[in-house]
Amino acid sequence: MGRRKKEPRNVHREKIASVASELFLARGISATSMDDIARTAGYSKATLYVYFQNKEEIVSVLVLDSMKKLCAYISSALRHQKSTRDKYDLICRELVRYQEEYPFYFKITLETINIDFENRDYFPEEKETFQIGEEINEMIQTLLLSGIENGDLRRDIKIAPTAFSCWGMMAGLIHFAANKKDYIQQTMGWSKNEFLQYGFDMIYQSIVSREDKQ
């Protein structure tokens, strides 16, 4: 225990969060207790509470870390592609990559998130996660605006609702395909990725300009 006391606080938090992430992946978040995390990480339960208030705080740290990675994925995709369609396709692929790497946290991003940071208690990670989500939303809005300016996308679409709708449809499709991949293979003869590509194309075609379709 003496060695632990010499280590920075963030080292312990990272170790605990890493162990918790593995347990969440193996058992699910609800089925994993603080006792499980403490025992697997090699801490007493009392020591665990020195570094985290509760399991929800651990989850908030892990969600934030995964959202930072998603933001980096999408930002890189947008920087390295020129055409509107190529950027869109890469965003879709990065969302799929995010879901495959962080299935539990991807699911959490589809659920209710805290947007009231004045009238209720919250973990600092929750607010940062919200801010990163807004940054991703702004990147998608910028893509839509540039697509309209280039003549690739319809000029009558409303930017903010369209960006949020695209985010919801893409994320929902990815979540659905992950849960139904065996059914998709059996009934359609398609892989999950083939089904997703078809769905992503349908979403894109709904906002593409008529001139671009011709």
Side-chain angles (χ1 to χ4, degrees):
M1 296 296 292
R3 179 182 61 83
R4 283 183 179 167
K5 290 180 182 179
K6 295 179 182 178
E7 292 175 339
R9 178 181 175 84
N10 69 297
V11 171
H12 296 291
R13 282 173 60 88
E14 288 173 6
K15 177 182 178 182
I16 292 167
S18 177
V19 168
S21 180
E22 293 176 2
L23 290 174
F24 293 157
L25 183 61
R27 305 178 183 181
I29 294 174
S30 60
T32 302
S33 68
M34 289 291 274
D35 282 330
D36 296 330
I37 296 169
R39 183 170 54 254
T40 306
Y43 292 82
S44 70
K45 190 174 181 180
T47 301
L48 191 67
Y49 280 109
V50 170
Y51 299 108
F52 289 98
Q53 295 180 38
N54 48 39
K55 185 170 65 175
E56 287 69 29
E57 184 180 9
I58 298 175
V59 171
S60 72
V61 168
L62 292 170
V63 171
L64 173 59
D65 183 62
S66 73
M67 282 290 284
K68 285 180 178 177
K69 290 181 172 64
L70 174 60
C71 188
Y73 294 162
I74 293 178
S75 178
S76 177
L78 293 176
R79 285 198 309 270
H80 290 89
Q81 297 296 327
K82 293 183 178 180
S83 77
T84 303
R85 184 58 197 256
D86 286 344
K87 289 179 179 179
Y88 171 84
D89 286 340
L90 268 178
I91 288 176
C92 292
R93 285 200 289 272
E94 296 301 352
L95 282 172
V96 173
R97 177 183 173 187
Y98 175 57
Q99 189 279 328
E100 291 174 345
E101 290 185 4
Y102 307 100
F104 287 108
Y105 313 127
F106 180 88
K107 183 175 181 294
I108 289 173
T109 64
L110 301 182
E111 298 173 352
T112 302
I113 60 172
N114 178 28
I115 60 173
D116 183 0
F117 298 108
E118 294 183 359
N119 301 312
R120 55 158 286 184
D121 293 332
Y122 61 90
F123 298 117
E125 292 82 7
E126 288 183 279
K127 186 171 185 178
E128 191 173 351
T129 296
F130 174 81
Q131 291 168 339
I132 291 174
E134 289 296 280
E135 185 177 342
I136 292 172
N137 193 42
E138 287 177 10
M139 286 191 282
I140 295 174
Q141 290 189 37
T142 299
L143 171 61
L144 294 176
L145 284 169
S146 65
I148 292 172
E149 291 173 0
N150 295 336
D152 298 325
L153 303 180
R154 288 165 40 193
R155 294 188 175 277
D156 63 332
I157 60 174
K158 300 184 187 305
I159 299 301
T162 300
F164 200 57
S165 295
C166 285
W167 172 270
M169 287 188 285
M170 290 186 292
L173 186 66
I174 292 167
H175 183 65
F176 181 79
N179 290 335
K180 300 291 185 180
K181 61 182 179 181
D182 292 337
Y183 176 83
I184 292 167
Q185 177 66 49
Q186 180 179 345
T187 60
M188 304 174 200
W190 284 359
S191 67
K192 181 188 75 171
N193 287 337
E194 288 173 324
F195 174 78
L196 283 172
Q197 186 55 56
Y198 181 82
F200 292 148
D201 187 61
M202 287 184 65
I203 296 170
Y204 186 79
Q205 290 303 320
S206 72
I207 59 174
V208 74
S209 70
R210 290 182 180 144
E211 291 79 6
D212 194 56
K213 286 182 180 180
Q214 293 175 353

